[in-house]
Amino acid sequence: MGNVGLFYVGAVLFLNSFLLLGKIHAKSAAIFNLFIGFMQVVFPILILIEANGDKWLIYNTAGTFLFGFTYLFVGFTNLFQLDSTGVGLYSLWVAIIAVAYSLINFLYFHDIKFGIIWIMWAFLWGLFYVLLGLKKEISIFTGWVTFIESWLTATIPAFLSMIGIWENVSDNLAITIGILFSLIVIILFRKTSNN
């Protein structure tokens, strides 16, 4: 996914976090989800047309579709006030695929930073499965995790990439941030599950 696309993943996650926290109306968030979803589907289609069988370009483009179809599905579900079970079950499938993307980043590309980011996305999609597919009331917890991930997995990495600094971020810093994120998630879960 290109830096601009990743930047706007941060934006839509940021907005969706406020939806989950009950701060904005679902139809309002739906419009932005549709904008970003269309962007993350149309541009990858154009890339695929020019891919000429490049397997890694196709692989990366397929990853972008995971996001695009998620946002389109969320957008239409919220706009038309549909049952969210379909989004939840799709999120389970995407969570499993995101684990595979994480492993490929770790093991094939030796990219620790995006290996961590993909596993964080897998966790978030897993939360969407529990919330929307299984109908467990974890919206506040999921909202806070979405808010944090909007910055850690998308906005900040994309911004640093656009200004040419991302490659200077050390793997050790990424691992430290991943550990801190895990601790914050545990604290958030305990705090929100007691309310």
Side-chain angles (χ1 to χ4, degrees):
M1 167 180 335
N3 294 328
V4 174
L6 185 59
F7 195 62
Y8 280 95
V9 165
V12 77
L13 288 176
F14 180 78
L15 184 69
N16 287 343
S17 72
F18 287 99
L19 170 64
L20 292 164
L21 294 170
K23 303 298 183 188
I24 61 172
H25 190 274
K27 284 190 175 183
S28 176
I31 301 302
F32 195 65
N33 275 271
L34 291 172
F35 285 151
I36 303 307
F38 280 120
M39 179 181 84
Q40 301 250 341
V41 169
V42 171
F43 292 144
I45 288 172
L46 298 175
I47 292 169
L48 282 179
I49 291 169
E50 300 295 322
N52 292 324
D54 182 332
K55 69 178 180 181
W56 291 115
L57 184 58
I58 293 167
Y59 164 84
N60 285 325
T61 304
T64 303
F65 281 129
L66 296 174
F67 292 89
F69 290 127
T70 297
Y71 302 134
L72 288 176
F73 208 166
V74 168
F76 283 119
T77 297
N78 288 342
L79 186 64
F80 296 110
Q81 299 175 327
L82 304 173
D83 177 71
S84 65
T85 305
V87 176
L89 292 172
Y90 173 72
S91 295
L92 173 62
W93 180 81
V94 177
I96 294 165
I97 300 302
V99 170
Y101 269 77
S102 176
L103 291 173
I104 289 170
N105 272 277
F106 282 128
L107 302 175
Y108 185 83
F109 293 117
H110 306 289
D111 185 342
I112 301 297
K113 293 178 282 197
F114 267 96
I116 291 169
I117 286 172
W118 272 104
I119 205 68
M120 290 170 72
W121 285 333
F123 176 69
L124 185 59
W125 268 302
L127 289 179
F128 292 141
Y129 164 64
V130 173
L131 175 67
L132 304 172
L134 298 179
K135 309 293 190 199
K136 302 293 183 184
E137 186 39 58
I138 58 166
S139 57
I140 301 299
F141 174 66
T142 306
W144 281 111
V145 172
T146 304
F147 178 82
I148 293 166
E149 287 205 21
S150 76
W151 294 100
L152 291 183
T153 67
T155 305
I156 293 171
F159 187 79
L160 293 179
S161 290
M162 287 188 286
I163 63 173
I165 296 176
W166 177 248
E167 52 275 355
N168 298 330
V169 175
S170 73
D171 289 344
N172 288 335
L173 178 59
I175 292 167
T176 302
I177 290 170
I179 292 168
L180 289 173
F181 171 77
S182 300
L183 294 173
I184 290 168
V185 163
I186 292 167
I187 292 166
L188 277 172
F189 182 75
R190 294 182 69 181
K191 186 174 176 70
T192 58
S193 64
N194 291 332
N195 293 336

